[in-house]
């Protein structure tokens, strides 16, 4: 697949993510139309896509938004009727050596990469609908942390401690003649990761992205069973099973059906107590990396939250608190929930953009 084809197919998939009914036949028709009118002609490419990828006038507004966002171009006035192929426009782009088309393709690819990089640093709470859909496609590029712990079983290795049994067995095979020493070391196993996601009203603008992150970590692991996901609001809800679906949109829809307290109040202390009493104390939190996504606003008293954070710290291997406001200029951890929780946390990190989610994966992976 050539670079222009990849760019155009990516644009068609972005339209599908934005809600347009873009089928494989429409994608093929779009590529053929662009080949006819010329990829180096902006206006012709716009009209080729509008004619082949839109099903009706209702799609035009979203098509325009995705087109300008994908190709990182500023909107220009377009005529009400599709123009013919303007050979003069194409000729103005081409230089004497005929390399203008290739240069234009390189410029578009660089512009698209630049727009994607800007989107990775944007606060997810400030994105519009089209930008959110474009960002959703980028969650598949996020790394999945896999923290390790030492296993009790030992495996063969080229150095470490002497494996006396295997060494003796080798000598017996040689009728007692000495041979090379066998070595072994303690192996490693994946450490469990527990995600507690605050879905209360103050976190509603981040809840979708945080659950997409949870879905990515749940399904992208080599051993998916090592990731457990809960939502916290006025009550605690176990959503790991709902997030096991491979398609992220269907997984989030399934999670939405089982979570009864979207955009409600915040009872962090009670939710954390419910987690520890029912799951954590029985083994789920023991030796695990527990990640709490919350801005720290507590509806009730903070005494219960402080008690449960102390319990959690005693059980877990590491406790990481992710605050979406942590990476913003002028932020100070003055919320009562944050104040009482910080002494029992191993790290307080930001969680408001795709870039901060990458940093979070590094923190959890090295825990």
């Amino acid at each position: 697949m050539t670079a222009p084809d990849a760019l155009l197919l990516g644009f068609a998939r972005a339209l599908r993510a934005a809600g347009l009914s873009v089928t494989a036949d429409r994608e093929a028709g779009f590529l053929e139309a662009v080949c006819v009118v010329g990829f180096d002609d902006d206006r012709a490419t716009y009209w080729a896509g509008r004619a082949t990828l839109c099903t009706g006038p209702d799609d035009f507004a979203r098509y325009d938004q995705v087109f300008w966002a994908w190709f990182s171009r500023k909107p220009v006035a377009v005529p009400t009727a599709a123009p013919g192929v303007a050979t003069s426009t194409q000729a103005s782009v081409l230089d004497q050596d005929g390399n203008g088309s290739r240069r234009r393709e390189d410029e578009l690819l660089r512009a698209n990469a630049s727009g994607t990089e800007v989107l990775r640093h944007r606060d997810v709470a400030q994105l519009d609908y089209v930008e959110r859909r474009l960002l959703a496609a980028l969650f598949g590029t996020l790394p999945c942390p896999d923290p390790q712990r030492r296993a009790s079983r030992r495996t063969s290795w080229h150095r470490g401690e002497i494996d006396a049994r295997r060494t003796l067995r080798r000598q017996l095979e040689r009728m007692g003649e000495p041979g090379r020493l066998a070595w072994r070391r303690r192996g490693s196993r994946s450490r469990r990761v527990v995600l507690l996601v605050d879905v209360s009203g103050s976190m509603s603008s981040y809840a979708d992205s945080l659950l997409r992150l949870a879905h990515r970590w749940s399904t992208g692991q080599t051993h998916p069973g090592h990731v457990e996901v809960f939502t916290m609001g006025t009550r605690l809800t176990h959503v790991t099973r709902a997030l096991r679906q491979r398609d992220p949109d269907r997984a989030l829809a399934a999670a939405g059906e089982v979570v009864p307290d979207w955009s409600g109040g915040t009872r962090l202390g009670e939710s954390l107590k419910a987690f520890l009493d029912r799951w954590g104390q029985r083994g789920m939190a023991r030796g695990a990396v527990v990640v709490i996504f919350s801005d720290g606003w507590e509806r009730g008293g903070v005494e219960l939250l402080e008690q449960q954070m102390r319990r959690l710290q005693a059980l877990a291997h590491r406790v990481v608190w992710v605050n979406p406001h942590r990476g913003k200029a002028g932020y100070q951890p003055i919320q009562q929930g944050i104040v009482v929780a910080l002494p029992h946390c191993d790290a307080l990190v930001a969680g408001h953009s795709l870039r901060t989610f990458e940093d979070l994966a590094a923190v959890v992976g090295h825990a």
Side-chain angles (χ1 to χ4, degrees), residues 121 208 231:
H121 288 78
D208 179 84
T231 61

Side-chain angles (χ1 to χ4, degrees), residues 144-210:
C144 296
D146 189 18
Q148 299 291 306
R149 65 179 180 89
R150 298 186 68 184
S152 58
R153 297 187 60 181
R154 286 167 170 78
T155 58
S156 59
W157 196 243
H158 57 273
R159 62 175 182 271
E161 62 184 46
I162 296 178
D163 190 341
R165 296 182 62 180
R166 197 151 56 95
T167 301
L168 180 60
R169 193 160 48 245
R170 286 181 178 179
Q171 291 184 355
L172 292 176
E173 291 174 355
R174 293 178 173 83
M175 304 299 294
E177 292 293 331
R180 292 188 308 168
L181 294 176
W183 306 88
R184 66 179 185 176
R185 69 166 186 173
R186 292 184 65 176
S188 60
R189 298 181 61 184
S190 295
R191 190 181 294 276
R192 180 180 286 111
V193 178
V194 180
L195 308 179
L196 304 175
V197 183
D198 186 350
V199 295
S200 62
S202 61
M203 291 285 293
S204 59
S205 56
Y206 295 98
D208 179 84
S209 296
L210 294 179

Side-chain angles (χ1 to χ4, degrees), residues 20-145:
L20 272 68
S21 179
V22 179
T23 62
D25 293 339
R26 291 184 180 275
E27 290 180 351
F30 175 48
L31 293 179
E32 294 177 2
V34 174
C35 289
V36 173
V37 301
F39 180 70
D40 56 327
D41 191 331
D42 295 351
R43 190 178 297 272
T45 301
Y46 169 87
W47 282 109
R50 182 163 163 168
T52 55
L53 300 176
C54 295
T55 59
D58 294 339
D59 294 340
F60 293 162
R62 276 181 293 177
Y63 174 84
D64 290 346
Q65 290 178 334
V66 177
F67 183 86
W68 307 125
W70 183 261
F71 292 105
S72 299
R73 303 166 179 166
K74 295 182 179 179
V76 296
V78 295
T80 56
V85 179
T87 56
S88 61
T89 304
Q90 297 176 0
S92 65
V93 177
L94 295 174
D95 56 17
Q96 294 179 354
D97 296 332
N99 294 326
S101 178
R102 180 176 300 175
R103 185 172 65 251
R104 183 59 176 168
E105 293 168 7
D106 294 339
E107 292 175 356
L108 290 176
L109 289 173
R110 286 195 298 270
N112 182 46
S114 176
T116 300
E117 186 62 22
V118 170
L119 193 61
R120 297 174 74 90
H121 288 78
R122 291 279 303 279
D123 189 335
V124 297
Q126 299 177 357
L127 302 180
D128 58 26
Y129 175 79
V130 174
E131 291 172 331
R132 284 179 179 271
R133 298 308 303 176
L134 293 176
L135 187 68
L138 298 178
F139 271 85
T141 65
L142 288 175
C144 296

